Amino acid sequence: DPFNQYYSHGPRFRLSAEQIRDQALSVSGLISDKMYGPSVMPFQPEGVWMTVYNGGKWTTSKNGEQYRRALYTYWKRTSTYPSMEAFDTPSREVCKVRRIRTNTPLQALVTLNDPVYMECAKELGKIVKKQSGNLDAKLEYAFEKAICRKPKESEKQSLKNLFTEVQRDFGKSEEEAWTLVANVIMNLDEFLIKR
């Protein structure tokens, strides 16, 4: 439906910065359901956030607070949260009626390497490893948990090959292999795109 003529279809577009982070936290089971209260400071690389005039510091929140929804992330207009900035979140200096949606390599690097997304992949990997069943059953579980559908046979085979190659060629443990598989699943277009 390229011209959006049918009510049953609509244009595909990438989720917002906040939705991507919240979705990763949710699928991995890390998301905190705590509501209200002060802003929190999730992990951020050292030296990104500096306050010249008052000496304020970015102190990563503890005790599960760092896993609260993106809505509660501490915001400073002159130094926005880096992973959200990569996904075009506005600086909040002025009102935005519509967000710009870009598709850049930097976004893929964020979801592949940012410590928040790596931690989510690790937790999802732990969940999958604990599931009963053979490798195929665990792959189906991981895929369905993240993408909300069963994988096609070709997708399952690709993930199976990845899992076995990582263990064989790099000598990784089962948990590390599941972390890598979870990371790949959480970087699929279907995970990051609203349809």
Side-chain angles (χ1 to χ4, degrees):
D1 184 24
F3 301 107
N4 297 319
Q5 296 173 338
Y6 304 109
Y7 290 119
S8 64
H9 300 328
R12 295 173 42 154
F13 55 87
R14 195 196 67 240
L15 297 172
S16 70
E18 295 87 352
Q19 289 171 324
I20 290 172
R21 182 177 180 275
D22 290 352
Q23 180 164 280
L25 289 170
S26 180
V27 166
S28 67
L30 287 173
I31 197 161
S32 168
D33 59 359
K34 181 179 176 185
M35 294 178 64
Y36 314 115
S39 297
V40 296
M41 296 180 167
F43 174 82
Q44 184 172 186
E46 191 68 37
V48 172
W49 194 84
M50 294 189 306
T51 303
V52 178
Y53 301 109
N54 68 6
K57 288 187 165 188
W58 185 276
T59 307
T60 302
S61 300
K62 304 283 184 222
N63 302 323
E65 291 286 309
Q66 69 271 33
Y67 305 125
R68 291 184 69 194
R69 291 183 53 216
L71 170 74
Y72 296 105
T73 300
Y74 186 85
W75 201 263
K76 183 178 174 189
R77 287 187 301 238
T78 57
S79 182
T80 56
Y81 189 64
S83 67
M84 288 193 210
E85 186 176 14
F87 285 102
D88 308 314
T89 190
S91 65
R92 299 183 187 174
E93 291 174 37
V94 295
C95 255
K96 294 277 184 180
V97 177
R98 178 181 289 177
R99 289 187 182 194
I100 296 170
R101 287 192 194 106
T102 62
N103 190 4
T104 69
L106 182 59
Q107 294 163 349
L109 291 172
V110 167
T111 54
L112 282 169
N113 300 309
D114 186 278
V116 172
Y117 294 98
M118 285 302 298
E119 191 171 4
C120 290
K122 185 176 182 179
E123 288 302 313
L124 179 56
K126 286 179 185 177
I127 292 169
V128 174
K129 183 184 172 201
K130 291 177 187 173
Q131 294 301 307
S132 59
N134 61 11
L135 180 58
D136 284 357
K138 289 181 178 186
L139 284 170
E140 284 181 14
Y141 173 82
F143 197 90
E144 196 166 355
K145 183 166 178 55
I147 308 296
C148 298
R149 71 167 173 83
K150 293 211 180 283
K152 297 173 188 165
E153 198 54 45
S154 60
E155 293 167 330
K156 188 165 56 171
Q157 191 58 48
S158 294
L159 292 172
K160 196 174 185 178
N161 292 343
L162 174 66
F163 182 85
T164 54
E165 285 174 23
V166 165
Q167 279 198 299
R168 182 187 67 229
D169 297 342
F170 300 106
K172 299 289 185 187
S173 68
E174 185 182 356
E175 189 172 306
E176 290 172 316
W178 280 120
T179 298
L180 186 61
V181 168
N183 195 6
V184 166
I185 291 171
M186 292 169 63
N187 275 278
L188 294 173
D189 270 355
E190 284 185 70
F191 189 78
L192 304 170
I193 302 289
K194 179 184 178 293
R195 291 186 288 145

